[in-house]
Amino acid sequence: MKDKRTGLKRIWKDNQSFFIFIGLMLFVRAGVADWYYIPSGSMEPTIQVGDRIFVNKLAYEIKVPFTDINLAETGSPARGDIIVFDSKAADNRLIKRVVGLPGDRIAMRNNILYLNNQPLLYSGDDEDQQELLGKVLHQIHLDKNGSPLSSFNTVTVPEDHVLVLGDNRNNSADSRVHGFIPMDEIIGKASHIAYSLDNDNAYMPRLARTFQALE
């Protein structure tokens, strides 16, 4: 037993800096910031398959690392924010754009969003358009063949929830499929593309997308 303890002490002494670095990295990723791989095209063209997204976990609250214990509120989601959340309804971690806040009345008619009975402003061609959501101007992609997801009746976002949509508007399983998103499922706000690899080109880096700010 003594030899075993001596061996462990030697390993710690010889690799102390490495272990401290790993511990700090895990602490930061658990409570401050992290990055996530994007496996689907539901947020195209804003976010592409192969992007690694930097997520600010302090954007809305401070939690004890490795727990769900909330220490302080630092903000609240705004319309146009791109959020990462653990969806119980989808049983998956998702990334979508916040469209509706608590109390908002939201409807969609032939891919035109109505916020509190007012249509949003759009520009562009039939498939690739720009949508003005509050002060956030961002791109969306529409399927020219239409989709059952292109319209829904007016809903009111309940307290402590948000309504989210994907920018690839007709090819996204979002609030139209899984319902409103509880605030306590939100992990953080996606702010930048950390780096991007092209899955269709031998995973070559897309240098132009490195640390690109998200709209």
Side-chain angles (χ1 to χ4, degrees):
M1 182 64 71
K2 183 177 180 180
D3 290 341
K4 184 176 181 180
R5 288 198 298 267
T6 301
L8 291 174
K9 289 180 180 178
R10 184 179 297 112
I11 292 173
W12 166 254
K13 183 178 180 180
D14 293 343
N15 299 277
Q16 187 174 359
S17 298
F18 173 75
F19 289 138
I20 291 174
F21 170 77
I22 293 298
L24 288 173
M25 186 178 70
L26 292 174
F27 180 85
V28 169
R29 292 192 65 179
V32 179
D34 206 347
W35 56 88
Y36 296 99
Y37 167 72
I38 302 302
S40 74
S42 69
M43 280 295 292
E44 291 180 344
T46 307
I47 301 174
Q48 299 179 12
V49 176
D51 286 349
R52 270 66 172 178
I53 303 303
F54 178 84
V55 177
N56 180 6
K57 291 187 173 183
L58 301 180
Y60 308 126
E61 61 186 7
I62 300 174
K63 287 184 177 181
V64 177
F66 309 107
T67 76
D68 291 326
I69 300 174
N70 186 9
L71 296 177
E73 302 291 333
T74 59
S76 57
R79 297 187 196 98
D81 283 1
I82 299 175
I83 61 171
V84 172
F85 56 98
D86 280 326
S87 172
K88 293 180 181 177
D91 192 25
N92 200 5
R93 181 165 292 178
L94 303 176
I95 182 168
K96 306 293 177 185
R97 188 181 297 275
V98 175
V99 171
L101 302 177
D104 282 345
R105 290 170 54 81
I106 308 291
M108 181 181 284
R109 300 164 193 160
N110 296 321
N111 285 314
I112 295 177
L113 267 175
Y114 287 75
L115 173 60
N116 297 322
N117 301 319
Q118 297 298 316
L120 301 188
L121 297 178
Y122 294 86
S123 60
D125 59 31
D126 290 339
E127 292 189 11
D128 296 301
Q129 299 189 12
Q130 288 188 317
E131 178 181 80
L132 183 60
L133 179 58
K135 297 181 179 180
V136 178
L137 182 66
H138 65 101
Q139 292 183 307
I140 63 171
H141 180 76
L142 303 175
D143 189 340
K144 65 180 180 180
N145 296 320
S147 166
L149 298 175
S150 62
S151 298
F152 60 85
N153 294 326
T154 302
V155 296
T156 300
V157 183
E159 185 178 357
D160 296 324
H161 290 73
V162 293
L163 186 148
V164 299
L165 297 176
D167 288 351
N168 192 351
R169 199 52 58 84
N170 299 140
N171 294 282
S172 173
D174 42 45
S175 286
R176 294 169 293 182
V177 176
H178 302 301
F180 302 110
I181 308 305
M183 295 282 194
D184 60 11
E185 291 185 354
I186 298 175
I187 296 172
K189 178 182 178 181
S191 62
H192 291 79
I193 300 169
Y195 63 98
S196 182
L197 302 178
D198 190 344
N199 295 8
D200 296 326
N201 186 24
Y203 296 94
M204 292 294 293
R206 299 185 182 114
L207 297 179
R209 297 184 65 77
T210 301
F211 217 67
Q212 183 183 87
L214 295 174
E215 298 170 324

